[in-house]
Amino acid sequence: MSIALAPRATNLKPSVTVAFMNRAKAMQRAGKDVLSFAAGEPDFDTPACIKMAAIKALANGMTKYMPTLGDPDTRSALARKLTIENGIPGCTPEHITIGAGGKHSLFVACHVLLDFPAPGQPKQEVVLPVPAWVSYAPIVELAGGTIVEVETTVATGFLATAEQIEKAITPRTRMVILNSPSNPCGTMYSEQQLRAIAAVIEKAAKTIAPNLVVLSDELYEKIVYGGIPHFSIGSIPAIAERVITLNGLSKAYGMTGWRIGYTGSSGEFGRAFTSAMGTLQGQMSTNITSFTYPAIVEALANAGPEVELMRQAFAARAEAINARLNAMPGIVNAKATGAFYAFPNVRAYFGKTTPQGKKIDSAMSMCEAMLEEAGLAFVPGEDFGGVGREHVRISFACSLDQIAKGMDRFEAFLRSLK
Ligand code: PLP
């Protein structure tokens, strides 16, 4: 029987990160000795005070439909956070949308900001420094846009310059996506670099791209340890109204399974954006799980000490993994300063053959062989775009002991290649 499915869904690329994570898990379940560095989630449990807030709300009967974009207390707490911590001007509770994870909020935002072109017209362009998180391109394309890649390399810490962004912006550009700290690169933009990019955005918006907006993905803002303070581009008054700040609780609070994301914006445009988000989300998922709202308020108010402990652990792990990678011949690594990823260049090993006779000619073939022959799961970099094809992503959301063992295995695997 052949009954069609929508090409929109069937043509979508499944996430390579999830694929490798699941393969590693399946091998572990089958009793194989596999060390996995594939998952993009903290290994820490959600702090107890956050869990208790949700349990209390559930016990108290907070089990009904809620306002689509979130209850007023939680939206107020998030607006306060973005105002005080991130310095975003003009961000009120009416500028906050709460969705079922940063990914969901990004999905809804893209459908609010992008559209399909009229017949014969070009698509709206979304400028994206690459390598970048694997979900941006599929989500943008589902909403009718097309990605314009800005290529970055390990030599410059994978950071796009203001000049590169300026060159990439055309009258068709609708959005620039920035992600600092970065998944998969583990690097961050400084305030100075973001100010230079903001100046380019301001100029382009006044000249060729009046509808230009910046989507600033700050999911990893709390996981910083390299001496570069996190800076929100939405705090720059000249472009604040054009910036949608995307964030969530997944990475900062060990809450990936809770599915809590949010956006904050500013000014008159931000208000219109938020209202459209509400309309679209209202026809999609409505509110997030009702009894998690008090947990968000609790996380923001009282989980700071736990977040700091997690940050310190990630800092020590980054130090350990950077030192090991830097000592491996042929591996070129940009020091991670944020998030929990290393993204080394492994091109020096392309053209070599594994002990079992597999030819390594790409990041994908290296990761395949490493999983099968060495019991080590990294994520191949191809799907992150650009020069990612020469890189592997190593998530160090695991113990120092696992990092040491994993790096021993990686080193031995590289040495075994002929
Ligand atoms: N943005 C980046 C850069 C990410 O790496 C992720 C998750 O991996 C997300 C957004 C979305 O996270 P969540 O949907 O769990 O909030």
Side-chain angles (χ1 to χ4, degrees):
M1 195 161 53
S2 158
I3 301 177
L5 294 165
R8 189 168 67 247
T10 54
N11 292 343
L12 260 188
K13 213 172 185 182
S15 161
V16 68
T17 314
V18 174
F20 266 81
M21 190 175 73
N22 287 346
R23 273 176 65 181
K25 276 190 184 153
M27 287 169 74
Q28 284 164 341
R29 264 197 307 275
K32 295 218 169 97
D33 172 22
V34 173
L35 292 175
S36 181
F37 293 83
E41 65 179 352
D43 51 329
F44 298 105
D45 194 5
T46 306
C49 65
I50 302 176
K51 287 184 183 174
M52 283 316 297
I55 291 168
K56 210 166 124 198
L58 186 55
N60 287 343
M62 196 174 183
T63 57
K64 302 290 187 232
Y65 286 131
M66 301 286 281
T68 299
L69 293 179
D71 77 314
D73 287 351
T74 313
R75 292 177 83 194
S76 293
L78 288 168
R80 217 166 29 246
K81 179 246 184 265
L82 289 172
T83 303
I84 295 167
E85 261 184 49
N86 303 84
I88 295 171
C91 178
T92 73
E94 283 75 51
H95 292 92
I96 300 294
T97 80
I98 305 172
K103 193 185 277 183
H104 176 238
S105 292
L106 172 71
F107 193 102
V108 184
C110 282
H111 284 263
V112 162
L113 294 167
L114 299 168
D115 214 341
F116 284 85
Q121 292 302 305
K123 289 184 175 179
Q124 291 179 317
E125 294 173 358
V126 174
V127 171
L128 177 69
V130 290
W133 180 42
V134 290
S135 291
Y136 294 129
I139 290 175
V140 161
E141 285 159 14
L142 272 176
T146 186
I147 293 281
V148 174
E149 293 192 344
V150 172
E151 299 249 0
T152 71
T153 68
V154 66
T156 50
F158 304 103
L159 302 174
T161 63
E163 291 73 29
Q164 280 180 297
I165 305 260
E166 184 164 34
K167 262 200 204 131
I169 296 174
T170 73
R172 293 179 298 283
T173 310
R174 180 74 166 103
M175 200 194 298
V176 174
I177 297 182
L178 296 174
N179 173 216
S180 176
S182 157
N183 172 11
C185 304
T187 51
M188 297 172 63
Y189 289 92
S190 68
E191 175 176 342
Q192 195 187 8
Q193 286 161 330
L194 288 169
R195 286 195 182 278
I197 292 171
V200 159
I201 300 288
E202 187 184 0
K203 184 172 149 207
K206 281 189 183 140
T207 51
I208 58 169
N211 287 316
L212 189 58
V213 297
V214 176
L215 191 131
S216 180
D217 180 339
E218 304 182 10
L219 261 284
Y220 295 92
E221 72 164 339
K222 300 282 186 201
I223 307 173
V224 300
Y225 39 75
I228 303 168
H230 174 74
F231 181 76
S232 292
I233 194 168
S235 68
I236 299 172
I239 62 157
E241 196 167 341
R242 299 186 173 276
V243 179
I244 310 299
T245 302
L246 176 72
N247 210 328
L249 272 63
S250 288
K251 316 288 178 176
Y253 300 96
M255 293 175 71
T256 45
W258 291 62
R259 312 310 303 132
I260 299 168
Y262 62 92
T263 65
S265 54
S266 177
E268 197 185 322
F269 171 69
R271 219 176 265 273
F273 166 81
T274 306
S275 163
M277 289 283 284
T279 308
L280 185 50
Q281 195 169 304
Q283 296 292 18
M284 196 180 187
S285 51
T286 317
N287 59 282
I288 64 166
T289 304
S290 53
F291 50 84
T292 62
Y293 290 117
I296 301 175
V297 177
E298 178 66 23
L300 297 180
N302 295 322
E306 279 93 339
V307 170
E308 175 55 17
L309 287 178
M310 294 188 236
R311 191 197 66 77
Q312 286 173 13
F314 284 123
R317 295 162 178 189
E319 199 62 48
I321 205 161
N322 282 327
R324 289 297 302 267
L325 290 171
N326 289 345
M328 292 183 200
I331 296 294
V332 187
N333 179 47
K335 192 169 187 285
T337 54
F340 40 75
Y341 306 106
F343 198 59
N345 186 299
V346 295
R347 188 185 51 193
Y349 292 88
F350 292 178
K352 295 189 184 270
T353 306
T354 70
Q356 291 183 22
K358 293 233 176 68
K359 181 105 183 184
I360 304 291
D361 52 11
S362 61
M364 177 61 88
S365 56
M366 177 181 268
C367 288
E368 294 269 3
M370 217 150 44
L371 185 55
E372 295 301 329
E373 297 184 27
L376 191 57
F378 293 171
V379 177
E382 281 90 343
D383 285 4
F384 298 97
V387 78
R389 61 189 171 274
E390 298 178 356
H391 292 253
V392 294
R393 192 190 77 171
I394 309 170
S395 167
F396 52 82
C398 57
S399 69
L400 282 168
D401 185 47
Q402 176 166 330
I403 290 171
K405 285 193 185 122
M407 289 300 103
D408 287 347
R409 260 184 215 192
F410 186 38
E411 209 166 0
F413 175 78
L414 294 178
R415 236 186 279 118
S416 74
L417 300 176
K418 292 280 162 329

